[in-house]
């Protein structure tokens, strides 16, 4: 039989489609492998456990199915250190072949794995707040739906100066990248609005006794603490035990909602700024809080909410790609284009560098029905990582550090 050239081409295309279609179907029907870098040991474990709980709560609501893809979760404990984060990231990517990673928790962990993530073109939605990865060193495979280290502290500094009317503040935070960037953000806006940072204290991340640092808190009219994990509990107790009465403000971790059941009355009056607050009066947040309390008997805080929202971003990104995550560049583009109006933290979207823009909440610790609560007293909407600063001018100065901005005479 004589076969015409056009007929042969049609037969070849048909055969090719027959092979490609099942491969595509197999890719879409295979489980979507989701990796989680969290912390279950050490001083950051309290937040890491909530990260896993927030992830599991979202997946349970969705019957472990996102955009039509069944999800297989791989959870890894980094131990809260850079080497552990690197090892676990390698295992998730090279052994488990995950499609996307959530986490890690700490800025120093994120800094340890960002180059590896970029080189392996693995999408990463991190809770960790290392500023420069969405500023001067953007990673094309990195997206942040939580906040930079300084993002909550910018409005906190503004509020401390303009509404708490503080003039001279001493800062205290762990001697880590997250700590440097938090207090850099606080100092920048606090001083812009007329305040002055008198001294900066840097205890190690593992500090059982804050007394040597608390003894240096004098000749000021307020304190800003940015401690993370379970460290705020010891700080607040020891602060009260020494009879210190200066007003205290904090960032997203220093007054976390999940810590409230462990605080005593010494925490009353603590002012904090966070991208999530458990008292947000929306249906999405009420449902989230209810599910966390039902599943784990805990009030969710920033760590749990951050991972829950990250899962929502993953689902929305997968929906945009019709469930496909194999084309990493297309998948990342879809994730970066996500805009959500109904999350537990309120509406979010992303800037051109892959960092979230959303609401930040000023809360005060009060007592209601015999329990400590964070009551929202002010909302800053559409807060970007650059606050109200000009982006170009902001990026021209160094990343916030131990020495930047420098201390100046008050």
């Amino acid at each position: 039989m004589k076969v015409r050239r056009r007929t042969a081409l049609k037969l070849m295309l048909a055969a090719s489609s027959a092979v490609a279609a099942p491969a595509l179907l197999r890719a879409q029907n295979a489980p979507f492998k989701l990796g989680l870098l969290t912390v279950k040991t050490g001083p950051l474990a309290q937040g890491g456990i909530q990260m896993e709980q927030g992830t599991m709560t979202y997946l349970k609501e969705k019957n472990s199915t996102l955009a039509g893809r069944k999800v297989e979760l791989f959870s890894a404990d980094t131990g809260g250190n850079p080497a552990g984060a690197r090892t676990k990231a390698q295992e998730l990517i090279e052994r488990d072949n995950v499609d996307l990673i959530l986490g890690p928790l700490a800025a120093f962990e994120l800094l340890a794995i960002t180059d590896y993530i970029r080189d392996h073109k693995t999408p990463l939605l991190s809770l960790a707040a290392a500023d420069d990865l969405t500023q001067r060193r953007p990673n094309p495979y990195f997206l942040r739906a939580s906040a930079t280290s300084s993002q909550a502290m910018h409005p906190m500094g503004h509020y401390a100066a303009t509404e708490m009317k503080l003039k001279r503040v001493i800062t205290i935070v762990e001697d880590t990248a997250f700590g440097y960037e938090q207090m850099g953000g606080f100092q920048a806006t606090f001083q812009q609005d007329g305040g002055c940072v008198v001294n900066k204290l840097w205890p190690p991340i593992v500090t059982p006794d804050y007394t040597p640092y608390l003894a240096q808190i004098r000749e000021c009219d307020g304190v800003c603490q940015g401690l993370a994990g379970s460290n705020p509990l010891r700080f607040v107790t020891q602060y009260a035990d020494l009879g210190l009465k200066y007003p205290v403000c904090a960032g997203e971790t220093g007054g976390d909602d999940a810590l409230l059941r462990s605080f005593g009355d010494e925490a009353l009056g603590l002012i904090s700024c966070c991208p999530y607050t458990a008292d947000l009066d929306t249906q999405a947040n009420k449902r989230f809080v209810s599910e966390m309390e039902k599943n784990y008997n805990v009030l969710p805080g920033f760590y749990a909410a951050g991972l829950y929202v990250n899962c929502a971003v993953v689902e929305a990104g997968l929906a945009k790609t019709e469930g496909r995550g194999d084309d990493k560049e297309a998948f990342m583009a879809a994730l970066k284009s996500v805009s959500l109006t109904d999350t537990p933290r309120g509406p979010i979207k992303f800037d051109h560098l892959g960092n979230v823009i959303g609401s930040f909440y000023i809360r005060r610790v009060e007592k209601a029905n015999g329990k400590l609560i964070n009551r929202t007293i002010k909302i800053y909407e559409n807060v970007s990582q650059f606050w109200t600063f000009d982006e170009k001018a902001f990026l021209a100065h160094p990343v916030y550090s131990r020495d930047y901005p420098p201390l100046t005479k008050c």
Side-chain angles (χ1 to χ4, degrees), residues 337-348:
S337 70
V338 167
S339 177
L340 301 174
T341 59
D342 192 26
T343 80
R345 65 169 288 181
I348 65 164

Side-chain angles (χ1 to χ4, degrees), residues 28-49:
Q28 290 177 312
N29 290 333
F32 182 83
K33 292 186 175 183
L34 184 63
L36 172 63
L37 291 173
T38 188
V39 183
K40 296 183 182 180
T41 52
L44 301 178
Q46 186 272 340
I49 291 168

Side-chain angles (χ1 to χ4, degrees), residues 217-234:
I217 296 178
R218 58 184 182 271
E219 297 180 4
C220 66
D221 56 9
V223 174
C224 180
Q225 62 97 344
L227 303 170
S230 58
N231 287 339
L233 299 174
R234 285 189 296 279

